Amino acid sequence: MDLNHHISPTTNKDGIAYKLRKAMLQISAVALVIASIGFISLEYYSLREALLQRIEVLADFIATNSTAALSFEDENTATQLLASLAAEQSVESALLLDKEFVAFAHYNLVDDNLQKVFSQVPEWLLDPVNNPERMSRFLSDKLIFLKRIELGDETIGHLFIETRLATLYKNIAINVFITGVLIVLIMVLVYQLSVRLQRSISQPIQKLVNAMQQVSDHEEYALRLPAGDKDEIGILMNRFNDMQGQI
């Protein structure tokens, strides 16, 4: 008697084959999504830190070389120094101010918004305890960076740099796309593997179920199953044969 012709279709949602594939795909999907979120989050903060470090290097270069321009009120030299920020494409604008927070030179400043920002001395610069040499803040679409310029122990000016985050978000979008493609490919591979795995588990169980149905419906006590593997399913199949032999 062929026991395979009673095997239910693999699309049967009540069958163990479907449940095994579903469980494997769900576990794999959850694991991949969690790993992807972790990877993208790490990449995001790494890119932010790298951008901030590049801006700090540029700010240090300009601050070091602008002390003479500020001391001698050389606006042309200061403007040329700020123009070097063009090397960093993400820099949107910059403003060099004297110690009284009066605009001294600027780069790519199309309006007076930055000057309005410094129309009054920021409170954090007047705080003797929390008065850092530099300050940075990430907003939703830009990085704001402020550095105090000193000559000896005297503050002679301040450098303000505004940086766009469009390039950072573009890189994140590319990483998200690549990660999505990889997830799809991995899920296809997992599905193929799950089909092979579920066959090795569900088919022996289905044969055992079919044999039990044959015995129950047609009283075929001479029916025997092929010897199973040395696992729990194989033990069940062997015990079925032993039970049949005792009837």
Side-chain angles (χ1 to χ4, degrees), residues 72-86:
F72 296 102
E73 299 183 355
D74 188 351
E75 183 178 341
N76 291 331
T77 300
T79 301
Q80 292 176 5
L81 283 171
L82 291 179
S84 63
L85 290 171

Side-chain angles (χ1 to χ4, degrees), residues 7-34:
I7 295 179
S8 302
T10 57
T11 56
N12 183 4
K13 294 184 179 181
D14 294 327
I16 190 172
Y18 173 81
K19 293 178 179 179
L20 283 172
R21 289 199 306 272
K22 182 180 178 181
M24 290 186 64
L25 290 173
Q26 287 178 338
I27 293 173
S28 299
V30 170
L32 286 171
V33 169
I34 293 176

Side-chain angles (χ1 to χ4, degrees), residues 127-198:
D127 188 344
V129 177
N130 301 312
N131 188 3
E133 179 187 357
R134 64 190 68 195
M135 181 182 70
S136 62
R137 180 173 300 171
F138 279 95
L139 305 180
S140 60
D141 61 342
K142 63 184 65 177
L143 165 63
I144 304 298
F145 185 86
L146 178 66
K147 177 178 175 59
R148 188 171 60 229
I149 302 174
E150 297 179 337
L151 181 60
D153 295 330
E154 180 185 0
T155 298
I156 62 173
H158 300 86
L159 174 62
F160 178 89
I161 301 177
E162 189 176 55
T163 306
R164 295 182 298 270
L165 299 181
T167 301
L168 184 149
Y169 289 136
K170 180 180 178 181
N171 291 333
I172 292 297
I174 293 174
N175 288 333
V176 169
F177 174 77
I178 294 175
T179 302
V181 172
L182 289 175
I183 288 177
V184 172
L185 294 177
I186 292 174
M187 290 303 295
V188 171
L189 178 61
V190 169
Y191 177 81
Q192 297 297 329
L193 293 175
S194 68
V195 170
R196 294 186 178 183
L197 178 61
Q198 62 86 15

